[in-house]
mmCIF file of all heavy atoms in Angstrom:
data_model
loop_
_atom_site.group_PDB
_atom_site.id
_atom_site.type_symbol
_atom_site.label_atom_id
_atom_site.label_comp_id
_atom_site.label_asym_id
_atom_site.label_seq_id
_atom_site.Cartn_x
_atom_site.Cartn_y
_atom_site.Cartn_z
ATOM 1 N N PRO U 68 -27.013 7.065 3.974
ATOM 2 C CA PRO U 68 -27.290 7.545 2.627
ATOM 3 C C PRO U 68 -26.808 6.559 1.570
ATOM 4 O O PRO U 68 -26.030 5.644 1.861
ATOM 5 C CB PRO U 68 -26.502 8.855 2.557
ATOM 6 C CG PRO U 68 -25.341 8.625 3.481
ATOM 7 C CD PRO U 68 -25.887 7.782 4.603
ATOM 8 N N ASP U 69 -27.261 6.745 0.346
ATOM 9 C CA ASP U 69 -26.772 5.935 -0.764
ATOM 10 C C ASP U 69 -25.310 6.285 -1.041
ATOM 11 O O ASP U 69 -24.912 7.451 -0.987
ATOM 12 C CB ASP U 69 -27.604 6.191 -2.024
ATOM 13 C CG ASP U 69 -29.039 5.678 -1.880
ATOM 14 O OD1 ASP U 69 -29.247 4.732 -1.098
ATOM 15 O OD2 ASP U 69 -29.941 6.243 -2.530
ATOM 16 N N ILE U 70 -24.520 5.271 -1.347
ATOM 17 C CA ILE U 70 -23.088 5.461 -1.584
ATOM 18 C C ILE U 70 -22.842 5.500 -3.094
ATOM 19 O O ILE U 70 -23.323 4.628 -3.823
ATOM 20 C CB ILE U 70 -22.272 4.309 -0.977
ATOM 21 C CG1 ILE U 70 -22.744 3.998 0.447
ATOM 22 C CG2 ILE U 70 -20.792 4.641 -0.980
ATOM 23 C CD1 ILE U 70 -22.226 2.681 0.974
ATOM 24 N N PRO U 71 -22.086 6.464 -3.593
ATOM 25 C CA PRO U 71 -21.745 6.468 -5.018
ATOM 26 C C PRO U 71 -21.045 5.172 -5.420
ATOM 27 O O PRO U 71 -20.185 4.676 -4.694
ATOM 28 C CB PRO U 71 -20.806 7.670 -5.156
ATOM 29 C CG PRO U 71 -21.146 8.559 -3.999
ATOM 30 C CD PRO U 71 -21.534 7.631 -2.878
ATOM 31 N N GLN U 72 -21.401 4.636 -6.580
ATOM 32 C CA GLN U 72 -20.847 3.363 -7.028
ATOM 33 C C GLN U 72 -19.335 3.419 -7.189
ATOM 34 O O GLN U 72 -18.630 2.440 -6.896
ATOM 35 C CB GLN U 72 -21.498 2.949 -8.357
ATOM 36 C CG GLN U 72 -21.120 1.557 -8.834
ATOM 37 C CD GLN U 72 -21.525 0.469 -7.852
ATOM 38 O OE1 GLN U 72 -22.651 0.459 -7.361
ATOM 39 N NE2 GLN U 72 -20.626 -0.457 -7.566
ATOM 40 N N GLU U 73 -18.810 4.567 -7.626
ATOM 41 C CA GLU U 73 -17.366 4.656 -7.830
ATOM 42 C C GLU U 73 -16.596 4.516 -6.519
ATOM 43 O O GLU U 73 -15.458 4.035 -6.511
ATOM 44 C CB GLU U 73 -16.986 5.971 -8.525
ATOM 45 C CG GLU U 73 -17.397 7.240 -7.802
ATOM 46 C CD GLU U 73 -18.749 7.778 -8.271
ATOM 47 O OE1 GLU U 73 -19.565 6.962 -8.749
ATOM 48 O OE2 GLU U 73 -18.952 8.998 -8.165
ATOM 49 N N LEU U 74 -17.217 4.907 -5.414
ATOM 50 C CA LEU U 74 -16.562 4.753 -4.123
ATOM 51 C C LEU U 74 -16.562 3.294 -3.690
ATOM 52 O O LEU U 74 -15.567 2.794 -3.158
ATOM 53 C CB LEU U 74 -17.275 5.630 -3.085
ATOM 54 C CG LEU U 74 -16.459 6.114 -1.879
ATOM 55 C CD1 LEU U 74 -15.156 6.765 -2.313
ATOM 56 C CD2 LEU U 74 -17.289 7.077 -1.040
ATOM 57 N N LYS U 75 -17.651 2.578 -3.946
ATOM 58 C CA LYS U 75 -17.686 1.137 -3.672
ATOM 59 C C LYS U 75 -16.653 0.416 -4.527
ATOM 60 O O LYS U 75 -15.945 -0.476 -4.056
ATOM 61 C CB LYS U 75 -19.075 0.571 -3.975
ATOM 62 C CG LYS U 75 -20.200 1.098 -3.115
ATOM 63 C CD LYS U 75 -21.506 0.432 -3.540
ATOM 64 C CE LYS U 75 -22.717 1.029 -2.870
ATOM 65 N NZ LYS U 75 -23.980 0.402 -3.326
ATOM 66 N N ASP U 76 -16.581 0.818 -5.801
ATOM 67 C CA ASP U 76 -15.628 0.184 -6.721
ATOM 68 C C ASP U 76 -14.187 0.398 -6.265
ATOM 69 O O ASP U 76 -13.341 -0.493 -6.399
ATOM 70 C CB ASP U 76 -15.807 0.732 -8.138
ATOM 71 C CG ASP U 76 -17.144 0.331 -8.750
ATOM 72 O OD1 ASP U 76 -17.767 -0.618 -8.249
ATOM 73 O OD2 ASP U 76 -17.557 0.983 -9.735
ATOM 74 N N LYS U 77 -13.906 1.575 -5.741
ATOM 75 C CA LYS U 77 -12.553 1.876 -5.260
ATOM 76 C C LYS U 77 -12.142 0.884 -4.182
ATOM 77 O O LYS U 77 -11.050 0.281 -4.258
ATOM 78 C CB LYS U 77 -12.503 3.299 -4.698
ATOM 79 C CG LYS U 77 -11.265 3.602 -3.840
ATOM 80 C CD LYS U 77 -11.401 4.935 -3.128
ATOM 81 C CE LYS U 77 -10.382 5.074 -2.011
ATOM 82 N NZ LYS U 77 -10.498 6.371 -1.303
ATOM 83 N N TYR U 78 -12.983 0.701 -3.170
ATOM 84 C CA TYR U 78 -12.609 -0.142 -2.039
ATOM 85 C C TYR U 78 -12.543 -1.626 -2.389
ATOM 86 O O TYR U 78 -11.803 -2.384 -1.751
ATOM 87 C CB TYR U 78 -13.554 0.092 -0.862
ATOM 88 C CG TYR U 78 -13.210 1.342 -0.081
ATOM 89 C CD1 TYR U 78 -13.873 2.542 -0.321
ATOM 90 C CD2 TYR U 78 -12.203 1.326 0.864
ATOM 91 C CE1 TYR U 78 -13.547 3.694 0.378
ATOM 92 C CE2 TYR U 78 -11.859 2.479 1.571
ATOM 93 C CZ TYR U 78 -12.532 3.651 1.324
ATOM 94 O OH TYR U 78 -12.192 4.792 2.014
ATOM 95 N N SER U 79 -13.297 -2.052 -3.384
ATOM 96 C CA SER U 79 -13.293 -3.472 -3.757
ATOM 97 C C SER U 79 -12.237 -3.803 -4.798
ATOM 98 O O SER U 79 -11.952 -4.984 -5.030
ATOM 99 C CB SER U 79 -14.675 -3.878 -4.288
ATOM 100 O OG SER U 79 -15.004 -3.152 -5.455
ATOM 101 N N SER U 80 -11.611 -2.794 -5.400
ATOM 102 C CA SER U 80 -10.653 -3.043 -6.477
ATOM 103 C C SER U 80 -9.354 -3.637 -5.949
ATOM 104 O O SER U 80 -8.894 -3.309 -4.850
ATOM 105 C CB SER U 80 -10.348 -1.740 -7.230
ATOM 106 O OG SER U 80 -9.587 -0.859 -6.419
ATOM 107 N N GLU U 81 -8.752 -4.514 -6.743
ATOM 108 C CA GLU U 81 -7.452 -5.094 -6.377
ATOM 109 C C GLU U 81 -6.375 -4.020 -6.325
ATOM 110 O O GLU U 81 -5.461 -4.086 -5.497
ATOM 111 C CB GLU U 81 -7.050 -6.185 -7.370
ATOM 112 C CG GLU U 81 -7.739 -7.505 -7.140
ATOM 113 C CD GLU U 81 -6.948 -8.678 -7.704
ATOM 114 O OE1 GLU U 81 -5.866 -8.455 -8.267
ATOM 115 O OE2 GLU U 81 -7.429 -9.825 -7.567
ATOM 116 N N GLU U 82 -6.466 -3.029 -7.188
ATOM 117 C CA GLU U 82 -5.465 -1.960 -7.207
ATOM 118 C C GLU U 82 -5.406 -1.252 -5.860
ATOM 119 O O GLU U 82 -4.322 -0.947 -5.355
ATOM 120 C CB GLU U 82 -5.794 -0.959 -8.317
ATOM 121 C CG GLU U 82 -4.800 0.188 -8.415
ATOM 122 C CD GLU U 82 -5.169 1.174 -9.496
ATOM 123 O OE1 GLU U 82 -6.240 1.025 -10.102
ATOM 124 O OE2 GLU U 82 -4.380 2.110 -9.724
ATOM 125 N N TRP U 83 -6.572 -0.977 -5.262
ATOM 126 C CA TRP U 83 -6.609 -0.313 -3.964
ATOM 127 C C TRP U 83 -6.224 -1.280 -2.844
ATOM 128 O O TRP U 83 -5.421 -0.956 -1.973
ATOM 129 C CB TRP U 83 -7.997 0.266 -3.711
ATOM 130 C CG TRP U 83 -8.176 0.776 -2.303
ATOM 131 C CD1 TRP U 83 -8.872 0.193 -1.293
ATOM 132 C CD2 TRP U 83 -7.608 1.971 -1.755
ATOM 133 N NE1 TRP U 83 -8.784 0.936 -0.145
ATOM 134 C CE2 TRP U 83 -8.015 2.036 -0.391
ATOM 135 C CE3 TRP U 83 -6.795 2.982 -2.266
ATOM 136 C CZ2 TRP U 83 -7.634 3.078 0.451
ATOM 137 C CZ3 TRP U 83 -6.411 4.028 -1.425
ATOM 138 C CH2 TRP U 83 -6.830 4.073 -0.092
ATOM 139 N N ARG U 84 -6.774 -2.477 -2.862
ATOM 140 C CA ARG U 84 -6.582 -3.415 -1.756
ATOM 141 C C ARG U 84 -5.161 -3.959 -1.690
ATOM 142 O O ARG U 84 -4.574 -4.063 -0.619
ATOM 143 C CB ARG U 84 -7.578 -4.572 -1.875
ATOM 144 C CG ARG U 84 -9.027 -4.156 -1.696
ATOM 145 C CD ARG U 84 -9.981 -5.328 -1.706
ATOM 146 N NE ARG U 84 -9.957 -6.056 -2.965
ATOM 147 C CZ ARG U 84 -9.485 -7.284 -3.120
ATOM 148 N NH1 ARG U 84 -8.983 -7.940 -2.087
ATOM 149 N NH2 ARG U 84 -9.506 -7.879 -4.298
ATOM 150 N N LEU U 85 -4.596 -4.308 -2.835
ATOM 151 C CA LEU U 85 -3.272 -4.934 -2.867
ATOM 152 C C LEU U 85 -2.149 -3.952 -3.181
ATOM 153 O O LEU U 85 -0.987 -4.232 -2.914
ATOM 154 C CB LEU U 85 -3.260 -6.079 -3.883
ATOM 155 C CG LEU U 85 -4.239 -7.223 -3.592
ATOM 156 C CD1 LEU U 85 -4.164 -8.264 -4.685
ATOM 157 C CD2 LEU U 85 -3.962 -7.856 -2.240
ATOM 158 N N GLY U 86 -2.507 -2.817 -3.766
ATOM 159 C CA GLY U 86 -1.501 -1.811 -4.071
ATOM 160 C C GLY U 86 -0.668 -2.182 -5.285
ATOM 161 O O GLY U 86 -0.874 -3.205 -5.939
ATOM 162 N N THR U 87 0.296 -1.334 -5.588
ATOM 163 C CA THR U 87 1.194 -1.534 -6.727
ATOM 164 C C THR U 87 2.528 -2.083 -6.238
ATOM 165 O O THR U 87 3.184 -1.477 -5.392
ATOM 166 C CB THR U 87 1.435 -0.201 -7.464
ATOM 167 O OG1 THR U 87 0.172 0.336 -7.886
ATOM 168 C CG2 THR U 87 2.331 -0.409 -8.673
ATOM 169 N N ARG U 88 2.916 -3.227 -6.761
ATOM 170 C CA ARG U 88 4.201 -3.827 -6.382
ATOM 171 C C ARG U 88 5.264 -3.427 -7.398
ATOM 172 O O ARG U 88 4.998 -3.362 -8.597
ATOM 173 C CB ARG U 88 4.076 -5.347 -6.298
ATOM 174 C CG ARG U 88 2.993 -5.819 -5.349
ATOM 175 C CD ARG U 88 2.820 -7.325 -5.369
ATOM 176 N NE ARG U 88 3.861 -8.015 -4.609
ATOM 177 C CZ ARG U 88 3.901 -9.332 -4.429
ATOM 178 N NH1 ARG U 88 2.973 -10.112 -4.980
ATOM 179 N NH2 ARG U 88 4.850 -9.892 -3.726
ATOM 180 N N ILE U 89 6.466 -3.176 -6.905
ATOM 181 C CA ILE U 89 7.563 -2.844 -7.808
ATOM 182 C C ILE U 89 8.622 -3.943 -7.729
ATOM 183 O O ILE U 89 8.775 -4.588 -6.692
ATOM 184 C CB ILE U 89 8.186 -1.470 -7.465
ATOM 185 C CG1 ILE U 89 8.850 -1.508 -6.081
ATOM 186 C CG2 ILE U 89 7.153 -0.359 -7.544
ATOM 187 C CD1 ILE U 89 9.680 -0.279 -5.754
ATOM 188 N N PRO U 90 9.369 -4.178 -8.819
ATOM 189 C CA PRO U 90 10.458 -5.174 -8.793
ATOM 190 C C PRO U 90 11.673 -4.561 -8.096
ATOM 191 O O PRO U 90 12.490 -3.895 -8.721
ATOM 192 C CB PRO U 90 10.727 -5.427 -10.279
ATOM 193 C CG PRO U 90 10.317 -4.153 -10.954
ATOM 194 C CD PRO U 90 9.190 -3.576 -10.145
ATOM 195 N N PHE U 91 11.793 -4.760 -6.807
ATOM 196 C CA PHE U 91 12.828 -4.069 -6.034
ATOM 197 C C PHE U 91 14.074 -4.941 -5.863
ATOM 198 O O PHE U 91 14.002 -6.169 -5.834
ATOM 199 C CB PHE U 91 12.278 -3.645 -4.667
ATOM 200 C CG PHE U 91 11.828 -4.794 -3.800
ATOM 201 C CD1 PHE U 91 12.703 -5.378 -2.885
ATOM 202 C CD2 PHE U 91 10.538 -5.306 -3.894
ATOM 203 C CE1 PHE U 91 12.297 -6.427 -2.088
ATOM 204 C CE2 PHE U 91 10.127 -6.364 -3.096
ATOM 205 C CZ PHE U 91 11.012 -6.930 -2.188
ATOM 206 N N GLU U 92 15.220 -4.256 -5.729
ATOM 207 C CA GLU U 92 16.491 -4.936 -5.475
ATOM 208 C C GLU U 92 16.949 -4.777 -4.029
ATOM 209 O O GLU U 92 17.726 -5.599 -3.525
ATOM 210 C CB GLU U 92 17.591 -4.384 -6.393
ATOM 211 C CG GLU U 92 17.485 -4.822 -7.845
ATOM 212 C CD GLU U 92 16.433 -4.040 -8.626
ATOM 213 O OE1 GLU U 92 16.234 -2.851 -8.321
ATOM 214 O OE2 GLU U 92 15.811 -4.627 -9.529
ATOM 215 N N LYS U 93 16.505 -3.725 -3.375
ATOM 216 C CA LYS U 93 16.938 -3.455 -2.006
ATOM 217 C C LYS U 93 15.717 -3.289 -1.109
ATOM 218 O O LYS U 93 14.741 -2.637 -1.488
ATOM 219 C CB LYS U 93 17.833 -2.211 -1.940
ATOM 220 C CG LYS U 93 19.089 -2.355 -2.791
ATOM 221 C CD LYS U 93 20.018 -1.175 -2.649
ATOM 222 C CE LYS U 93 21.226 -1.322 -3.584
ATOM 223 N NZ LYS U 93 22.033 -2.504 -3.259
ATOM 224 N N ASP U 94 15.788 -3.886 0.089
ATOM 225 C CA ASP U 94 14.671 -3.856 1.028
ATOM 226 C C ASP U 94 15.215 -3.465 2.402
ATOM 227 O O ASP U 94 16.043 -4.177 2.971
ATOM 228 C CB ASP U 94 14.004 -5.240 1.084
ATOM 229 C CG ASP U 94 12.665 -5.223 1.795
ATOM 230 O OD1 ASP U 94 12.067 -4.142 1.925
ATOM 231 O OD2 ASP U 94 12.211 -6.298 2.232
ATOM 232 N N ILE U 95 14.771 -2.326 2.904
ATOM 233 C CA ILE U 95 15.258 -1.796 4.176
ATOM 234 C C ILE U 95 14.084 -1.719 5.145
ATOM 235 O O ILE U 95 13.044 -1.139 4.819
ATOM 236 C CB ILE U 95 15.882 -0.399 3.992
ATOM 237 C CG1 ILE U 95 17.026 -0.460 2.965
ATOM 238 C CG2 ILE U 95 16.371 0.159 5.326
ATOM 239 C CD1 ILE U 95 17.483 0.905 2.495
ATOM 240 N N ILE U 96 14.237 -2.302 6.326
ATOM 241 C CA ILE U 96 13.157 -2.323 7.314
ATOM 242 C C ILE U 96 13.686 -1.816 8.648
ATOM 243 O O ILE U 96 14.778 -2.210 9.101
ATOM 244 C CB ILE U 96 12.591 -3.749 7.496
ATOM 245 C CG1 ILE U 96 12.008 -4.262 6.172
ATOM 246 C CG2 ILE U 96 11.510 -3.774 8.576
ATOM 247 C CD1 ILE U 96 11.585 -5.721 6.212
ATOM 248 N N HIS U 97 12.918 -0.931 9.275
ATOM 249 C CA HIS U 97 13.318 -0.404 10.589
ATOM 250 C C HIS U 97 12.069 -0.069 11.392
ATOM 251 O O HIS U 97 11.084 0.429 10.841
ATOM 252 C CB HIS U 97 14.166 0.859 10.424
ATOM 253 C CG HIS U 97 14.643 1.440 11.720
ATOM 254 N ND1 HIS U 97 15.677 0.893 12.444
ATOM 255 C CD2 HIS U 97 14.205 2.510 12.441
ATOM 256 C CE1 HIS U 97 15.874 1.611 13.532
ATOM 257 N NE2 HIS U 97 14.985 2.589 13.559
ATOM 258 N N ARG U 98 12.111 -0.356 12.695
ATOM 259 C CA ARG U 98 11.000 0.003 13.578
ATOM 260 C C ARG U 98 11.372 1.219 14.414
ATOM 261 O O ARG U 98 12.351 1.197 15.160
ATOM 262 C CB ARG U 98 10.590 -1.157 14.490
ATOM 263 C CG ARG U 98 9.524 -0.764 15.519
ATOM 264 C CD ARG U 98 8.712 -1.923 16.002
ATOM 265 N NE ARG U 98 7.820 -2.438 14.966
ATOM 266 C CZ ARG U 98 6.639 -1.896 14.665
ATOM 267 N NH1 ARG U 98 6.211 -0.829 15.304
ATOM 268 N NH2 ARG U 98 5.898 -2.434 13.720
ATOM 269 N N PHE U 99 10.578 2.278 14.264
ATOM 270 C CA PHE U 99 10.695 3.475 15.081
ATOM 271 C C PHE U 99 9.726 3.367 16.258
ATOM 272 O O PHE U 99 8.907 2.452 16.315
ATOM 273 C CB PHE U 99 10.333 4.718 14.249
ATOM 274 C CG PHE U 99 11.253 4.980 13.087
ATOM 275 C CD1 PHE U 99 10.948 4.487 11.823
ATOM 276 C CD2 PHE U 99 12.408 5.727 13.248
ATOM 277 C CE1 PHE U 99 11.776 4.739 10.736
ATOM 278 C CE2 PHE U 99 13.253 5.973 12.172
ATOM 279 C CZ PHE U 99 12.934 5.482 10.916
ATOM 280 N N ASP U 100 9.792 4.333 17.168
ATOM 281 C CA ASP U 100 8.843 4.367 18.278
ATOM 282 C C ASP U 100 7.407 4.526 17.767
ATOM 283 O O ASP U 100 6.465 4.039 18.383
ATOM 284 C CB ASP U 100 9.168 5.528 19.230
ATOM 285 C CG ASP U 100 10.459 5.301 19.992
ATOM 286 O OD1 ASP U 100 10.899 4.137 20.075
ATOM 287 O OD2 ASP U 100 11.029 6.289 20.504
ATOM 288 N N TRP U 101 7.256 5.198 16.630
ATOM 289 C CA TRP U 101 5.918 5.508 16.100
ATOM 290 C C TRP U 101 5.432 4.482 15.073
ATOM 291 O O TRP U 101 4.310 4.609 14.574
ATOM 292 C CB TRP U 101 5.899 6.906 15.479
ATOM 293 C CG TRP U 101 7.084 7.240 14.619
ATOM 294 C CD1 TRP U 101 8.183 7.955 14.981
ATOM 295 C CD2 TRP U 101 7.297 6.872 13.247
ATOM 296 N NE1 TRP U 101 9.064 8.059 13.929
ATOM 297 C CE2 TRP U 101 8.545 7.412 12.858
ATOM 298 C CE3 TRP U 101 6.557 6.144 12.309
ATOM 299 C CZ2 TRP U 101 9.068 7.242 11.577
ATOM 300 C CZ3 TRP U 101 7.058 5.974 11.032
ATOM 301 C CH2 TRP U 101 8.306 6.523 10.676
ATOM 302 N N GLY U 102 6.239 3.479 14.757
ATOM 303 C CA GLY U 102 5.793 2.472 13.796
ATOM 304 C C GLY U 102 6.935 1.923 12.966
ATOM 305 O O GLY U 102 8.074 2.404 13.023
ATOM 306 N N GLU U 103 6.621 0.902 12.170
ATOM 307 C CA GLU U 103 7.626 0.271 11.321
ATOM 308 C C GLU U 103 7.560 0.847 9.910
ATOM 309 O O GLU U 103 6.489 1.195 9.410
ATOM 310 C CB GLU U 103 7.376 -1.239 11.255
ATOM 311 C CG GLU U 103 8.437 -2.006 10.475
ATOM 312 C CD GLU U 103 8.233 -3.503 10.559
ATOM 313 O OE1 GLU U 103 8.775 -4.120 11.486
ATOM 314 O OE2 GLU U 103 7.511 -4.044 9.698
ATOM 315 N N VAL U 104 8.736 0.948 9.281
ATOM 316 C CA VAL U 104 8.820 1.398 7.890
ATOM 317 C C VAL U 104 9.591 0.363 7.090
ATOM 318 O O VAL U 104 10.644 -0.109 7.520
ATOM 319 C CB VAL U 104 9.520 2.774 7.772
ATOM 320 C CG1 VAL U 104 9.722 3.143 6.297
ATOM 321 C CG2 VAL U 104 8.710 3.850 8.474
ATOM 322 N N GLU U 105 9.057 0.004 5.932
ATOM 323 C CA GLU U 105 9.756 -0.845 4.972
ATOM 324 C C GLU U 105 9.950 -0.038 3.695
ATOM 325 O O GLU U 105 8.984 0.518 3.160
ATOM 326 C CB GLU U 105 8.958 -2.107 4.663
ATOM 327 C CG GLU U 105 9.634 -3.008 3.628
ATOM 328 C CD GLU U 105 8.810 -4.241 3.276
ATOM 329 O OE1 GLU U 105 7.618 -4.276 3.641
ATOM 330 O OE2 GLU U 105 9.361 -5.149 2.633
ATOM 331 N N ALA U 106 11.188 0.056 3.222
ATOM 332 C CA ALA U 106 11.503 0.779 1.993
ATOM 333 C C ALA U 106 11.997 -0.210 0.948
ATOM 334 O O ALA U 106 13.042 -0.839 1.131
ATOM 335 C CB ALA U 106 12.557 1.848 2.249
ATOM 336 N N GLN U 107 11.245 -0.362 -0.131
ATOM 337 C CA GLN U 107 11.652 -1.201 -1.250
ATOM 338 C C GLN U 107 12.177 -0.293 -2.366
ATOM 339 O O GLN U 107 11.459 0.613 -2.810
ATOM 340 C CB GLN U 107 10.480 -2.036 -1.751
ATOM 341 C CG GLN U 107 9.972 -3.044 -0.732
ATOM 342 C CD GLN U 107 8.796 -3.851 -1.242
ATOM 343 O OE1 GLN U 107 8.248 -3.579 -2.314
ATOM 344 N NE2 GLN U 107 8.401 -4.865 -0.484
ATOM 345 N N LEU U 108 13.399 -0.534 -2.797
ATOM 346 C CA LEU U 108 14.047 0.326 -3.797
ATOM 347 C C LEU U 108 14.318 -0.457 -5.075
ATOM 348 O O LEU U 108 14.953 -1.517 -5.043
ATOM 349 C CB LEU U 108 15.359 0.886 -3.243
ATOM 350 C CG LEU U 108 15.300 1.602 -1.885
ATOM 351 C CD1 LEU U 108 16.684 2.057 -1.469
ATOM 352 C CD2 LEU U 108 14.340 2.781 -1.938
ATOM 353 N N ALA U 109 13.859 0.081 -6.188
ATOM 354 C CA ALA U 109 14.171 -0.469 -7.506
ATOM 355 C C ALA U 109 15.319 0.355 -8.091
ATOM 356 O O ALA U 109 15.241 1.586 -8.135
ATOM 357 C CB ALA U 109 12.945 -0.400 -8.412
ATOM 358 N N MET U 110 16.374 -0.322 -8.511
ATOM 359 C CA MET U 110 17.593 0.368 -8.922
ATOM 360 C C MET U 110 17.773 0.367 -10.441
ATOM 361 O O MET U 110 17.359 -0.561 -11.143
ATOM 362 C CB MET U 110 18.804 -0.295 -8.267
ATOM 363 C CG MET U 110 18.721 -0.436 -6.759
ATOM 364 S SD MET U 110 18.561 1.146 -5.911
ATOM 365 C CE MET U 110 20.129 1.903 -6.377
#
């Protein structure tokens, strides 16, 4: 079917693809059995 333009725009946008970065001071990384988690904290 035809795809709504706003849905195409969502996937091609830098905001969706790259996400929002925050200026963080603390970075915590741990691997669990189910996957890795990285927590960036802005203080």
Side-chain angles (χ1 to χ4, degrees):
D69 292 333
I70 314 166
Q72 187 61 47
E73 58 266 26
L74 206 51
K75 296 180 188 178
D76 293 342
K77 165 190 165 180
Y78 280 97
S79 62
S80 70
E81 281 204 0
E82 180 181 5
W83 171 255
R84 294 185 298 111
L85 299 178
T87 303
R88 304 175 78 177
I89 65 171
F91 61 93
E92 286 79 33
K93 300 184 183 298
D94 192 20
I95 303 167
I96 299 173
H97 181 76
R98 174 156 290 279
F99 297 93
D100 291 341
W101 44 262
E103 184 174 270
V104 174
E105 178 182 13
Q107 295 179 352
L108 307 178
M110 307 300 297

